[in-house]
Amino acid sequence: MAPNLTFDAWQRAGGQLAGVIDSSSWWLGDWLVYGKDHYADRYQLGIRTAGLKYQTLRNYAWVSRRFDMHRRRDALTFQHHAEVASLPYEKQEMWLDDAEAKRWTTKQLRNAIKAINEGEPATTPRPETPRQIALPGHRIDRWHQAAEHSGIDFDRWVLVTLDSAAGQILEHTENITALSA
């Protein structure tokens, strides 16, 4: 990473890296499928070069086999596809349609499938709704200044600051509990 990377550039890089990671699951899966189909006698030797656990690679290949290129949804991650890979074709399509249309996370998709399988009524997992609190304007102005001074986007600054404060309080509480035990 460049030493003077701005927050925005750092954030963009993270998004790009996440895209590469998701794509690499498909690439490795497709690579393994090809190897199994074309080099069955040397397949095990070939997969050692990937340097990943055998079970991880098997999962990549299994999901890749279950989803031909034309069925893969660009708006969804490899993990979304993995969640439905064991289902029949029609169910896969139905769940992927829902996940794409409703912009579900992998966890929301998993929970929706689990609810149906456990006989619970089909409800749409709700995305997390932002919460609002009333604050005096002068505090928000001060926080904006602090975020700007830190070189961090305001929303991110608020989250980081609150998480840091919560971590300190929880750690302090754990230390007191440990000392009194």
Side-chain angles (χ1 to χ4, degrees):
M1 293 286 145
N4 296 331
L5 200 61
T6 66
F7 175 77
D8 288 339
W10 174 79
Q11 188 177 26
R12 265 193 317 280
Q16 290 170 337
L17 289 170
V20 169
I21 289 170
D22 189 59
S23 296
S24 68
S25 299
W26 286 118
W27 296 335
L28 281 167
D30 292 339
W31 173 75
L32 289 161
V33 168
Y34 183 91
K36 183 85 167 170
D37 292 346
H38 291 85
Y39 309 111
D41 57 329
R42 293 176 287 170
Y43 179 72
Q44 291 293 331
L45 179 64
I47 66 171
R48 285 190 211 125
T49 63
L52 295 172
K53 290 183 180 176
Y54 177 73
Q55 187 60 48
T56 300
L57 293 171
R58 274 190 51 178
N59 291 344
Y60 290 165
W62 182 70
V63 173
S64 291
R65 276 196 195 279
R66 300 283 290 169
F67 292 96
D68 291 331
M69 202 72 73
H70 72 277
R71 291 189 55 224
R72 297 175 186 177
R73 313 289 179 94
D74 290 340
L76 300 174
T77 66
F78 178 87
Q79 201 55 43
H80 281 93
H81 292 78
E83 289 294 331
V84 301
S86 65
L87 302 173
Y89 177 91
E90 297 78 22
K91 296 268 188 197
Q92 290 174 352
E93 291 299 307
M94 178 195 78
W95 284 113
L96 292 177
D97 286 344
D98 277 355
E100 197 168 16
K102 297 170 184 170
R103 303 177 79 179
W104 284 344
T105 63
T106 304
K107 183 177 179 182
Q108 288 172 319
L109 173 60
R110 183 182 315 121
N111 288 342
I113 294 169
K114 182 179 174 187
I116 292 296
N117 289 340
E118 291 176 355
E120 296 176 13
T123 58
T124 301
R126 291 182 293 149
E128 291 185 21
T129 54
R131 298 184 185 208
Q132 296 181 356
I133 58 174
L135 297 168
H138 70 278
R139 285 196 175 156
I140 294 174
D141 292 341
R142 182 174 167 84
W143 297 347
H144 272 285
Q145 289 174 356
E148 189 175 314
H149 181 73
S150 301
I152 301 175
D153 169 71
F154 176 72
D155 291 347
R156 182 75 181 145
W157 181 89
V158 170
L159 291 174
V160 168
T161 302
L162 289 174
D163 283 344
S164 176
Q168 289 174 3
I169 290 168
L170 294 173
E171 184 179 316
H172 179 69
T173 303
E174 289 171 7
N175 289 341
I176 290 172
T177 303
L179 289 174
S180 61

